[in-house]
Structures are given as structure tokens and as C-alpha cells.
Amino acid sequence: MYRDDLERFKEFKAQGVAIKFGKFSVKENKQLEKNVEDFLALTGIENADKLLYTDRYPEEKSVITNLKRRYSFRLHIGRNIARPWKLIYYRAKKMFDVNNYKGRYSEGDTEKLKMYHSLLGNDWKTIGEMVARSSLSVALKFSQISSQRNRGAWSKSETRKLIKAVEEVILKKMSPQELKEVDSKLQENPESCLSIVREKLYKGISWVEVEAKVQTRNWMQCKSKWTEILTKRMTNGRRIYYGMNALRAKVSLIERLYEINVEDTNEIDWEDLASAIGDVPPSYVQTKFSRLKAVYVPFWQKKTFPEIIDYLYETTLPLLKEKLEKMMEKKGTKIQTPAAPKQVFPFRDIFYYEDDSEGEDIEKESEGQAPCVAHACNSSTLGGQGRWII
């Protein structure tokens, strides 16, 4: 924490405002734009690029630095934004970086990117400066073009590689000593079971690392496919978003979104909202909401988030309820309550391969890497004494 944050945080606490992390809301972005514009007007600095990327202007660097210090740049830029100063600063640099708005890459741009990467490796900051793009832009573009990526349906081999890759990346977060202890305990007692906290199955995963291990898909494809696999395994393969269940889920989702009454999607606790559908990862619910507004809300791109929710609640919800009631009456069934989210899962119930023989081949290929604890764990002993949670 920066020293400037302490006093700001005390003020926010006194006002009953919680410190936020994660994606910035529309309201926060507008406030940040105002803070930057106000500081430029106060100091006379010509533009945001000079303010936030002072190193690009060596002849004016000394003057700009002195102005930033004299007028308390850190305090001004963070005004009325309940976040750590460092996060606000990074967000401002991303918003006002002129190199973020260069449009599509031409063939020439792409070839230059490949050439510079062959010389400099993953030094995205330097490469970005050489091609006049942001470091984030060049890193994402190179991820898309670095090798031939498959499209369409995933093969069994690719799916096995993905599951293996996610498992290894999660286990990599454990210290060598922890891995050694787990491996030793499982060797001593093969009937033991390793379990994992649900959040670790989808939070904090390095998708760049996963992409490198899978090789045939980019990180976005890997993340999307993992959400699909994880949802199926967390729900034991139940069709939770099909037929009557889909109608029930849509009704519950709209009602919950209306109840929480927020101004922006970034204020939604998707983890909590997931229970409206069942025991599923947050990204699954986000995907369903995106589909819901695209299908039922006309011109949703031009509406604010509250307007979208109001439309769904006032116009779409009654139609969905009517359809659900007719379907229930016809089939003579009642609405089933979604399964409560489990906080811990047996490792083996998540990380397994559809074809055991092929899974064994993958294990042989990965000698010397993190132990494949999923295959040494017997989920039937979950309630027994030999249970370790990571």
C-alpha cells in the first residue's frame, strides 16, 4: 500500500465505502477521466499522454515530474475512486495510451511483431514501443498468431491436454515441499483423497501457461473450453440449462439481477449469482446472461445496464414465467431447487480423462513434472480420515 492510500482508505471507511478491486465500472472510468482532465487543467500539462507516459518526452520530463509532485498527482487521480492508487494509475495508463487505439494490425505490422519477438522474446514493453502499440496489445496479438490454432470442435487429444494443463498449472502454485508431502501421503495410503477448494478451479489460473501446454488453441479458447468441462463435472453431467431447467434458470437469473439493483455489471458478485442456476462456475452464469440480453433485449448495446435489467424484468420475465407454467402443467412436475454450491470437490472428480488408457499415456509423457494426484485419489473415501484439501 502506498502511503497516500492510507488516508484515502480511512476517509472511505468513514463514509461506509468498501475498497474495490477487479474490473472498473463505467462510473469509475468516468470519474477517472474527470480526475485526469482536472489535473491537466490545474497544471497546464498539454495532454494525458505526457502526464502518464512522461518518459516518451525526455525534453519535458523534468518539468512534468515537478508539476506532478507539486500538485499531488497521486491524490488527484484517485479522487472519489475507492481503489488502491496503483490500480487507478494502471487503469489510467491503459485508458489514455494512444497506442491502444491503432486499429487492426496490417500484414506489415504482424510481420514486424514476429521479427521483433524472434529477437527480443517476451519483452512486450520494448516490442510495444518499437511498433507503437501498447504492451498488452502486442502480447495478445502474438498469442493469436504465434502458431497455427485449430478452430471448431475440440479433439479428444486436445481436451486431454487441456485438462492436464489446467491440473499442472493449479498444482504449480503449490510449493515443492507441499507437493512432496502430498505425493508421499498418497504413496503411503493410496485410498486417501485429495480435494480442492472450488475457487481454485477457475480463479487465478494462468491461461497463457495453459495455452503454451495445449499448443493448438489460444488462451481464450482454452478458458472457454475449461468452463464447459468444469460445469459438466461440477454438476455431474446434469443438463441444468435445457428444457424446463433452462426456463427456470432464466427466470431465477432475471429475478436475482433485478433484486440486487446495481448500476453496472462490474458490481455483480457472479460467484453468489451462480446459485440461481446451480453448482456452476461464475463464468458460466456470465455467459448465460450475455446470451439472455442478446436474445431478448432489442438494441441492448445502446442501453445502460439498469435499462437492460428493467426490460428483462418487465417484458421478458412474464413471458418466460407463462411458458414455464404451461410446461409444468403439461408435464405435471414442480420446479426443482438448484443444487447448493459445494465448496470442496474431490480432485479426481474434476481431473480425469474420458479414456483412461490415453490418460495414462499423458502421465508417462510428463515424468518429472508435478504429480498427477487426481489419478491416485479415490473419491469414495472423501468422508474418510485420509483427506487433504488444497
Side-chain angles (χ1 to χ4, degrees):
M1 182 190 297
Y2 283 85
R3 62 181 182 274
D4 299 317
D5 282 336
L6 186 57
E7 291 302 318
R8 294 176 56 247
F9 287 2
K10 286 180 179 178
E11 292 177 11
F12 286 126
K13 185 177 180 181
Q15 298 167 12
V17 178
I19 303 302
K20 296 177 65 177
F21 297 87
K23 192 173 181 181
F24 276 62
S25 67
V26 173
K27 184 178 179 180
E28 287 175 313
N29 286 333
K30 288 181 178 179
Q31 181 64 51
L32 182 52
E33 286 180 8
K34 182 178 185 304
N35 291 349
V36 170
E37 289 169 1
D38 288 348
F39 193 78
L40 292 175
L42 176 67
T43 60
I45 296 174
E46 189 176 346
N47 55 53
D49 197 62
K50 289 186 176 183
L51 173 65
L52 298 166
Y53 291 91
T54 309
D55 289 341
R56 294 175 180 173
Y57 305 89
E59 295 180 357
E60 301 177 60
K61 182 176 180 179
S62 178
V63 174
I64 295 173
T65 301
N66 287 333
L67 286 170
K68 289 164 75 172
R69 188 180 297 115
R70 184 190 309 169
Y71 291 99
S72 303
F73 171 63
R74 291 179 180 177
L75 292 177
H76 273 80
I77 199 174
R79 185 172 292 167
N80 297 324
I81 303 176
R83 290 177 180 266
W85 175 85
K86 194 172 183 179
L87 297 183
I88 298 171
Y89 177 62
Y90 287 160
R91 177 58 182 165
K93 292 192 72 172
K94 185 175 180 181
M95 287 174 60
F96 288 94
D97 187 356
V98 293
N99 291 331
N100 271 337
Y101 307 96
K102 296 284 187 177
R104 292 180 178 274
Y105 281 70
S106 66
E107 288 187 16
D109 293 334
T110 302
E111 290 306 314
K112 284 183 182 178
L113 176 55
K114 290 179 180 178
M115 180 184 68
Y116 291 142
H117 183 268
S118 68
L119 297 171
L120 301 170
N122 292 342
D123 186 354
W124 303 120
K125 181 179 180 182
T126 302
I127 294 174
E129 291 172 353
M130 296 177 76
V131 298
R133 300 264 184 174
S134 70
S135 56
L136 177 63
S137 173
V138 292
L140 289 176
K141 181 62 178 178
F142 189 78
S143 173
Q144 296 172 3
I145 65 172
S146 57
S147 61
Q148 189 65 38
R149 301 300 183 193
N150 291 340
R151 302 289 178 186
W154 284 60
S155 68
K156 288 184 179 180
S157 175
E158 286 181 308
T159 302
R160 290 195 303 272
K161 281 186 177 181
L162 174 63
I163 296 168
K164 178 67 177 170
V166 174
E167 180 183 5
E168 287 180 353
V169 169
I170 290 175
L171 290 175
K172 185 180 176 182
K173 288 188 173 184
M174 298 173 66
S175 69
Q177 184 60 32
E178 287 175 320
L179 284 172
K180 188 175 180 180
E181 288 177 5
V182 169
D183 195 35
S184 175
K185 289 175 181 178
L186 291 174
Q187 292 291 337
E188 293 172 6
N189 183 7
E191 295 302 311
S192 301
C193 183
L194 179 70
S195 295
I196 183 168
V197 176
R198 67 179 292 124
E199 287 190 359
K200 291 186 178 181
L201 292 169
Y202 47 77
K203 280 189 177 180
I205 295 174
S206 173
W207 292 107
V208 174
E209 288 186 56
V210 172
E211 174 191 317
K213 292 176 181 290
V214 175
Q215 297 181 328
T216 56
R217 303 279 179 163
N218 65 41
W219 70 268
M220 291 177 284
Q221 291 173 304
C222 291
K223 185 177 181 181
S224 177
K225 182 63 176 178
W226 176 244
T227 297
E228 177 190 322
I229 294 170
L230 184 59
T231 300
K232 182 178 178 181
R233 296 184 176 186
M234 290 174 75
T235 59
N236 295 318
R238 291 191 298 272
R239 305 178 79 178
I240 58 170
Y241 208 84
Y242 180 80
M244 189 182 299
N245 287 337
L247 282 173
R248 188 270 310 160
K250 290 174 184 177
V251 168
S252 298
L253 188 55
I254 293 172
E255 289 178 336
R256 288 283 295 278
L257 285 166
Y258 186 79
E259 288 170 7
I260 59 178
N261 191 29
V262 296
E263 294 295 318
D264 194 273
T265 53
N266 298 320
E267 299 176 36
I268 298 173
D269 182 350
W270 293 103
E271 186 81 54
D272 178 64
L273 198 62
S275 60
I277 292 181
D279 196 0
V280 297
S283 54
Y284 181 83
V285 188
Q286 288 177 281
T287 300
K288 294 306 177 187
F289 170 67
S290 296
R291 178 65 178 164
L292 194 66
K293 67 182 181 183
V295 170
Y296 292 102
V297 183
F299 307 108
W300 63 269
Q301 299 94 330
K302 298 181 179 180
K303 299 181 187 296
T304 64
F305 180 72
E307 288 173 338
I308 290 172
I309 299 305
D310 285 345
Y311 185 92
L312 287 171
Y313 188 81
E314 296 168 5
T315 305
T316 307
L317 184 61
L319 299 175
L320 292 176
K321 281 186 171 181
E322 182 181 356
K323 190 174 181 179
L324 178 59
E325 289 172 2
K326 288 181 178 179
M327 188 176 290
M328 289 169 55
E329 185 178 341
K330 183 178 180 180
K331 295 188 176 183
T333 57
K334 295 182 179 180
I335 296 179
Q336 295 181 344
T337 304
K342 294 193 290 286
Q343 297 307 310
V344 176
F345 290 85
F347 213 86
R348 187 185 180 104
D349 286 0
I350 303 297
F351 296 98
Y352 64 86
Y353 308 104
E354 297 293 348
D355 187 323
D356 287 336
S357 62
E358 291 176 322
E360 289 172 5
D361 290 339
I362 290 178
E363 287 186 59
K364 291 175 184 177
E365 293 171 5
S366 59
E367 290 181 6
Q369 298 178 2
C372 292
V373 293
H375 305 287
C377 170
N378 187 336
S379 61
S380 64
T381 65
L382 180 60
Q385 294 181 344
R387 178 185 178 188
W388 297 282
I389 300 176
I390 63 172

